[in-house]
Amino acid sequence: MFKNYTTNQVILPLDFSFQLEKNDIAFAIDQLIESIPEERFLPFNHQMGPSSYHSKMMMKMILCAYTQSVFSGRKIEALTKDSIRMMWLTQSYQPSYRTINRFRVNPLVNALLRECFVQFRSQLVKEQLIDEEAIFIDGTKIEANANKYTFVWKKSIENFDKKLTEKSNVLYDELLKDKIIPEIERESAKELSVTELGQIEEKLAHVVEKFTEKSEYEKDGTIRKSIRSKRKVPKKTRKLVHDFKERKCAYQKHRQILGQRNSYSRTDPDATFMRMKDDHMKNGQLKAAYNLQIATNSQYILGYDLFSNPTDTRTLHPFLTTLKECFFELPNYIVADAGYGGEENYQAVLEDYERTPLITYAMYYKEQKKKFKQNPFLPANWFYQELDDTFICPNGRKMNFRNYSIRTDKYGFKRYLKRYECEDCSDCPVRSQCTKAKSDKNREIQKNMNWEYFKATIQQLLSEKETGKIYRQRKIDVEPAFGYLKACLGFTRFSVRGKQQAHNEIGFALMAVNLRKYRLNKPENKGDSPNNRKNRRLKILFAIFGLLFYLS
């Protein structure tokens, strides 16, 4: 006997929620979006034109699609027609892929996504799923939606511009020498600006026009031919100067887009070429990408930001500012790996934010080894006499203070150094092991006392039991979030272009990671996991076998 089945019978429309499981992720998505205050959606409201889809519905729909690893606008549109969960969230509305794509790149969506993270964190705190003692920060590179061979390198632009400057100066000197054009007023004797090249082009065009007028009024063919031959040089030079001017404008535009970066992609100018680790032979590849920074606790992503800077060192300060202004008040402990360890970052965390940094530096683990500590030729192991402000070298001689110096990096950060010089290295028996300086010079060392203080502070913090335990938790807290994003969710490449648009998309992806993890960690859902169901079936089978054995 079959169950009753017919496709020709008319049925009344039912509430799709009855067809969803009790612990379906659609309910978590609906609860999260509904928790956002109503005034946050007012910027999407408009009084002119046809009515639009509610931004609540659009947020739920896109979040639901991202939790199912669907990132394409056309595939999201297909889900609204096929998925029961999507039909319930959209109430059977079916927005087109154009509407979906326009909404997710809308700059106003950024504020909604941040509000999602704020509400989600409040829910986690309320349910005691996270603590507010520390945040764990790390970064990863996500490939941009850009072609591989669209790179523009800063060094190449500088070299091309330098050669162009030399050529234009030589050409200008030749024009003056041959008295083709009069001299122009120059702002700098080193190079010709775009305006000055334009003036040269205008003067050459005026010279060409004079030769043209003469040839038109001249009736003698031989003389007219002679005039035209004289016109060739300024005419050809005018085209060359025009080309120089266009190239000069292009190089200025490239510099403006580059800023402090070393490269960018012509497909997506906000993306920077970064070393990716996606080759199975562990060969890094240069691809256009963005640097994603996240802050986690208990493997939940609490805040995020996107940078065009390939290194993590320069991102900590602006990222902490974003967390404080847009997401939540910073906790007491800021935990990160050695990629963030630096004098500028330590100073920012301790002084600007008044928090405790649990961040190692590059040489931290090497300095803990026995080989490092027993090396007598390393200045870090030399005895320091505080009263005399001198160090004692391995041969027992004094390294006297010489002078102060200030080193400013390309970003404007100043480091204050103290320089020391040995009193005499001429007849030292261990000179070859101690220094590679010339025979007529004494060994010199420099010390950054501010940096030494920060190093001592970090060593003290990580040696303590409580703070050391918090730092050791970093690897099992922030790293799994990236693994879940790339391996489980399958988000390895952006599908939109531009930093603002990519910022919105990564917000949807990270919230999808949170929602999937939240659903699995809820107490009522843990009993329905595949492993638990398998264990229950095994227990039932063992009970049946035991009963049969007993009856036999």
Side-chain angles (χ1 to χ4, degrees):
M1 174 180 281
F2 293 107
K3 294 182 182 291
N4 182 36
Y5 171 74
T6 175
T7 57
N8 298 321
Q9 183 177 356
V10 178
I11 60 174
L12 294 173
L14 298 176
D15 187 357
F16 290 112
S17 62
F18 289 109
Q19 297 179 270
L20 298 175
E21 295 182 2
K22 184 180 179 181
N23 59 345
D24 195 273
I25 197 170
F27 296 114
I29 295 171
D30 180 71
Q31 181 184 358
L32 174 65
I33 301 302
E34 292 295 336
S35 66
I36 299 176
E38 197 67 33
E39 58 268 15
R40 299 293 184 184
F41 299 96
L42 292 179
F44 292 89
N45 191 18
H46 58 85
Q47 304 298 329
M48 299 179 66
S51 58
S52 58
Y53 294 109
H54 201 291
S55 47
K56 279 186 180 181
M57 185 269 285
M58 298 296 293
M59 289 287 293
K60 294 176 186 178
M61 176 184 61
I62 297 176
L63 267 179
C64 181
Y66 274 67
T67 58
Q68 308 307 309
S69 301
V70 178
F71 313 120
S72 166
R74 292 179 185 270
K75 291 182 179 180
I76 296 174
E77 179 187 357
L79 275 183
T80 61
K81 303 172 184 177
D82 301 336
S83 171
I84 295 176
R85 134 181 337 114
M86 195 70 95
M87 290 178 184
W88 177 68
L89 288 173
T90 61
Q91 290 298 293
S92 298
Y93 285 117
Q94 297 176 359
S96 69
Y97 71 92
R98 291 188 181 88
T99 304
I100 295 169
N101 290 337
R102 280 197 300 266
F103 180 82
R104 68 173 167 177
V105 299
N106 192 330
L108 297 175
V109 173
N110 190 22
L112 282 181
L113 286 168
R114 287 178 173 176
E115 190 64 30
C116 282
F117 279 88
V118 172
Q119 296 298 331
F120 186 75
R121 180 180 178 275
S122 300
Q123 188 174 344
L124 294 177
V125 171
K126 185 178 180 181
E127 297 180 13
Q128 297 182 351
L129 293 175
I130 62 171
D131 59 66
E132 300 179 87
E133 185 181 27
I135 55 171
F136 303 89
I137 294 175
D138 205 354
T140 189
K141 297 176 179 65
I142 306 291
E143 185 180 351
N145 185 6
N147 297 335
K148 295 180 182 178
Y149 304 108
T150 58
F151 40 75
V152 176
W153 302 105
K154 188 175 185 178
K155 286 186 178 180
S156 299
I157 296 300
E158 290 175 351
N159 292 334
F160 293 152
D161 194 16
K162 184 178 179 181
K163 292 178 182 179
L164 178 63
T165 301
E166 294 174 357
K167 289 180 181 180
S168 59
N169 287 337
V170 171
L171 181 63
Y172 176 67
D173 292 338
E174 289 179 355
L175 291 173
L176 293 180
K177 183 179 179 182
D178 297 339
K179 297 181 179 180
I180 298 175
I181 61 171
E183 187 176 359
I184 62 171
E185 293 184 5
R186 299 179 60 178
E187 297 177 2
S188 173
K190 294 182 179 180
E191 65 174 321
L192 292 164
S193 64
V194 176
T195 306
E196 292 166 352
L197 287 171
Q199 292 176 5
I200 295 173
E201 184 184 5
E202 289 178 2
K203 292 183 181 299
L204 287 170
H206 185 63
V207 172
V208 171
E209 287 177 5
K210 284 185 177 180
F211 280 114
T212 304
E213 290 176 359
K214 285 182 180 180
S215 65
E216 288 177 354
Y217 289 111
E218 185 59 47
K219 296 180 179 179
D220 190 347
T222 306
I223 300 175
R224 188 164 57 246
K225 187 177 180 180
S226 174
I227 294 172
R228 288 177 180 174
S229 64
K230 292 180 181 178
R231 189 182 62 177
K232 286 182 180 179
V233 174
K235 190 174 182 180
K236 184 179 178 180
T237 309
R238 184 190 64 178
K239 291 181 180 179
L240 192 59
V241 171
H242 178 75
D243 179 59
F244 286 173
K245 186 181 72 172
E246 294 296 322
R247 286 168 58 187
K248 195 81 172 178
C249 291
Y251 295 153
Q252 288 182 357
K253 185 178 179 181
H254 287 316
R255 282 201 187 93
Q256 185 179 1
I257 296 173
L258 281 165
Q260 295 182 341
R261 295 182 292 165
N262 292 324
S263 64
Y264 79 89
S265 169
R266 288 192 296 270
T267 310
D268 185 357
D270 291 334
T272 306
F273 278 83
M274 305 179 187
R275 185 72 62 181
M276 308 292 286
K277 300 177 182 178
D278 56 354
D279 190 273
H280 65 281
M281 294 296 291
K282 296 184 179 179
N283 297 322
Q285 299 183 18
L286 278 174
K287 291 183 179 179
Y290 289 99
N291 188 357
L292 170 65
Q293 298 290 315
I294 63 170
T296 67
N297 190 291
S298 301
Q299 299 183 6
Y300 287 105
I301 302 166
L302 307 179
Y304 70 98
D305 204 355
L306 209 60
F307 295 90
S308 300
N309 191 354
T311 58
D312 292 336
T313 308
R314 302 294 308 169
T315 61
L316 183 63
H317 198 347
F319 182 47
L320 291 177
T321 303
T322 301
L323 291 177
K324 185 177 180 181
E325 293 177 354
C326 304
F327 292 98
F328 53 85
E329 187 66 28
L330 295 178
N332 187 31
Y333 296 108
I334 308 296
V335 189
D337 61 12
Y340 299 86
E343 182 182 351
E344 186 175 2
N345 288 338
Y346 290 141
Q347 185 173 321
V349 175
L350 286 168
E351 298 179 6
D352 298 346
Y353 300 102
E354 298 181 351
R355 297 295 186 269
T356 305
L358 299 181
I359 306 172
T360 55
Y361 49 90
M363 293 288 292
Y364 173 77
Y365 289 106
K366 191 173 182 179
E367 289 179 0
Q368 310 306 313
K369 293 182 179 180
K370 186 178 181 181
K371 183 179 178 181
F372 183 92
K373 293 181 178 180
Q374 293 182 350
N375 189 344
F377 300 104
L378 293 175
N381 299 326
W382 292 357
F383 178 73
Y384 176 65
Q385 294 180 341
E386 189 173 356
L387 293 176
D388 300 334
D389 192 15
T390 58
F391 287 90
I392 305 299
C393 77
N395 195 29
R397 298 178 181 178
K398 290 184 177 181
M399 300 284 294
N400 298 315
F401 170 73
R402 195 179 73 178
N403 65 298
Y404 291 97
S405 66
I406 300 175
R407 182 183 297 171
T408 306
D409 60 19
K410 62 180 181 180
Y411 302 105
F413 184 74
K414 294 183 178 180
R415 291 174 173 83
Y416 298 89
L417 307 176
K418 295 179 70 175
R419 295 183 179 274
Y420 296 84
E421 183 179 353
C422 184
E423 55 188 1
D424 186 18
C425 290
S426 57
D427 58 345
C428 181
V430 294
R431 178 186 175 87
S432 60
Q433 297 174 273
C434 185
T435 180
K436 295 181 180 179
K438 295 181 180 180
S439 58
D440 58 338
K441 292 186 177 181
N442 299 324
R443 180 170 184 183
E444 299 178 5
I445 62 171
Q446 56 185 16
K447 287 284 184 177
N448 184 344
M449 294 306 177
N450 200 31
W451 171 241
E452 295 297 330
Y453 166 74
F454 289 140
K455 285 172 60 177
T457 303
I458 296 301
Q459 290 173 2
Q460 177 64 28
L461 286 170
L462 297 184
S463 64
E464 295 176 0
K465 183 177 180 180
E466 181 183 354
T467 50
K469 182 180 178 181
I470 294 173
Y471 178 78
R472 289 191 295 272
Q473 189 183 345
R474 183 195 66 82
K475 289 183 180 180
I476 61 172
D477 199 295
V478 68
E479 299 291 352
F482 290 134
Y484 206 102
L485 174 69
K486 294 183 177 181
C488 300
L489 200 67
F491 190 91
T492 57
R493 190 174 190 265
F494 288 104
S495 57
V496 295
R497 295 175 179 176
K499 187 177 179 181
Q500 177 60 54
Q501 291 83 345
H503 197 281
N504 287 357
E505 186 178 26
I506 197 62
F508 282 114
L510 295 177
M511 183 49 66
V513 170
N514 282 341
L515 289 168
R516 287 178 63 163
K517 182 174 180 60
Y518 175 74
R519 175 180 173 271
L520 291 175
N521 286 350
K522 290 186 71 174
E524 58 268 26
N525 295 340
K526 288 184 178 180
D528 294 329
S529 65
N531 289 334
N532 289 341
R533 288 196 295 268
K534 182 179 179 181
N535 292 336
R536 285 201 302 270
R537 286 195 293 267
L538 289 174
K539 288 180 181 179
I540 293 172
L541 286 175
F542 283 131
I544 292 173
F545 288 142
L547 180 61
L548 292 174
F549 179 77
Y550 176 76
L551 293 176
S552 62

